[in-house]
Amino acid sequence: QYEQRIVVIDGLDEASSPAEDVSKFIRQLLDYAPKCGLRLMLGVRRPLTSMLGPRILIVDLDDESNFDMQDIADYVAKVLRAEFEPDVQNAYRRLGSQVDIVAQAVAKRASPTFLIARIVARSLVMADRPVDVTQSGWQDRLPATVGHAFDAYLERFNTSEKRVRELLAPLA
């Protein structure tokens, strides 16, 4: 009896090998998986799914029935409270229900993109002060695009922001 293991492979459709080679490799893993307690979670665009064979369960992340904005808000609240980093101290840990107000606003602006929510939440955690929810229009100042979220994130580098952007440019 094997201990069950989960292997996550994302961006399968972005592999440099031809799609047929990738799907052959994955089908071999799928054939072997039940024998060794392996489960696969694959991130792939729909056109490649037909090449994976019949034993797959498709969860379409673009299908609205698989999306709930509250999931984003809950995630943002956990990031703001640093629940994943128990040793990290930040102002949001002391704010109680105000964290949920900020998390809901971030989720609304970022929806349906978790990446935007994550970048904004990390920026807020690293800020000197928490968002002042008593200011008029504070929600509208939260980033709503990846570009704006990334800009806000990089602002924390102050005088080194230009240098950080230059270092990151080759990765873009």
Side-chain angles (χ1 to χ4, degrees):
Q1 182 72 315
Y2 294 97
E3 180 180 339
Q4 186 167 354
R5 300 198 189 283
I6 299 172
V7 174
V8 178
I9 304 173
D10 193 17
L12 199 56
D13 51 303
E14 299 170 16
S16 60
S17 298
E20 294 79 23
D21 292 344
V22 172
S23 66
K24 181 180 176 184
F25 170 72
I26 296 299
R27 279 197 312 271
Q28 288 174 344
L29 276 176
L30 288 168
D31 289 341
Y32 185 68
K35 300 170 188 161
C36 65
L38 182 67
R39 295 186 64 155
L40 297 174
M41 180 184 296
L42 307 173
V44 62
R45 288 188 171 59
R46 187 165 287 283
L48 193 58
T49 59
S50 63
M51 301 175 85
L52 298 175
R55 293 182 315 202
I56 60 171
L57 169 66
I58 296 175
V59 178
D60 186 347
L61 299 181
D62 291 327
D63 184 336
E64 286 189 23
S65 67
N66 292 320
F67 174 76
D68 185 347
M69 191 166 40
Q70 189 59 46
D71 292 338
I72 294 178
D74 292 344
Y75 172 75
V76 170
K78 287 179 181 183
V79 171
L80 292 177
R81 290 186 180 107
E83 289 183 20
F84 305 117
E85 304 168 289
D87 298 333
V88 171
Q89 295 300 315
N90 71 60
Y92 287 94
R93 284 191 177 215
R94 299 183 299 274
L95 294 182
S97 62
Q98 185 176 330
V99 170
D100 296 322
I101 294 168
V102 174
Q104 288 291 334
V106 170
K108 185 175 180 182
R109 296 282 291 171
S111 179
T113 309
F114 268 87
L115 176 62
I116 296 170
R118 183 188 189 293
I119 296 169
V120 172
R122 293 297 300 163
S123 295
L124 294 175
V125 164
M126 291 187 236
D128 294 333
R129 292 182 305 278
V131 172
D132 184 355
V133 299
T134 63
Q135 284 187 353
S136 176
W138 67 271
Q139 304 96 323
D140 298 328
R141 290 190 288 278
L142 294 170
T145 67
V146 172
H148 291 140
F150 199 62
D151 287 343
Y153 182 80
L154 292 178
E155 285 174 7
R156 71 186 178 98
F157 291 99
N158 299 318
T159 58
S160 299
E161 180 181 346
K162 183 177 187 262
R163 182 170 169 222
V164 171
R165 285 182 183 277
E166 289 169 354
L167 287 170
L168 293 175
L171 301 174

